[in-house]
């Protein structure tokens, strides 16, 4: 006679606390990336032109490219786990700052910084 397989609920309850912290952080981080599709609408609603809003999104793209290099460097210096924690916490703080920003230059800088930090996942460089 085979033993009964554990249910999904039993499997989830048996996960260690570290897994729940990682799951929660990943959820919040991915929820933060949901902001990007609405950024153009938000900026145009606040009175900025479409090209200005587009440039803000371009700044996010530039920051994302640079983040790939920063992620590898950070993983080598402070460790992968710490780099991921830095990325998750930093992105949430910068997103809140972006919500409060009113100057277009500050918004551009925060978008660049947001991508640099949020997309800075621990990518280890090959030696």
């Amino acid at each position: 006679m085979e033993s009964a397989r554990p249910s999904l609920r039993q499997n989830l309850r048996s996960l260690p606390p570290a897994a729940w912290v990682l799951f929660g952080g990943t959820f919040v981080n991915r929820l933060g990336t949901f902001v990007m599709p609405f950024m153009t609408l938000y900026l145009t609603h606040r009175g900025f032109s479409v090209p200005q809003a587009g440039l803000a999104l371009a700044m996010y793209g530039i920051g994302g490219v640079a983040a790939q290099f920063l992620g590898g460097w950070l993983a080598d210096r402070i460790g992968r786990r710490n780099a991921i924690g830095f990325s998750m916490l930093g992105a949430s703080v910068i997103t809140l700052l972006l919500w409060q920003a009113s100057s277009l230059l500050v918004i551009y800088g925060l978008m660049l910084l947001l991508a640099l930090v949020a997309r800075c996942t621990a990518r280890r460089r090959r030696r």
Side-chain angles (χ1 to χ4, degrees):
M1 184 171 184
E2 290 185 34
S3 62
R5 292 178 51 193
S7 68
L8 176 62
R9 180 180 221 155
Q10 290 169 333
N11 283 336
L12 289 176
R13 286 186 174 183
S14 67
L15 288 175
W20 286 106
V21 169
L22 184 61
F23 173 72
T26 302
F27 178 76
V28 170
N29 193 1
R30 295 300 176 206
L31 189 61
T33 61
F34 189 66
V35 169
M36 286 308 117
F38 293 101
M39 186 53 68
T40 305
L41 295 173
Y42 173 71
L43 290 175
T44 55
H45 179 72
R46 289 192 52 194
F48 298 110
S49 69
V50 173
Q52 289 171 328
L55 186 55
L57 293 178
M59 296 304 284
Y60 186 83
I62 292 167
V65 170
Q68 302 306 309
F69 299 105
L70 180 65
W73 182 81
L74 269 179
D76 289 343
R77 299 299 182 277
I78 64 173
R80 298 173 98 173
R81 187 178 300 181
N82 292 334
I84 291 170
F86 166 77
S87 175
M88 288 182 173
L89 290 173
S92 62
V93 169
I94 295 168
T95 301
L96 289 174
L97 290 174
L98 185 61
W99 175 53
Q100 295 296 314
S102 58
S103 166
L104 192 58
L105 290 177
V106 172
I107 290 171
Y108 289 162
L110 286 173
M111 289 292 284
L112 181 78
L113 190 61
L114 176 61
L116 191 63
V117 172
R119 310 216 8 113
C120 173
T121 54
R123 305 230 193 297
R124 187 160 274 242
R125 293 183 291 184
R126 295 183 190 251
R127 295 180 194 245

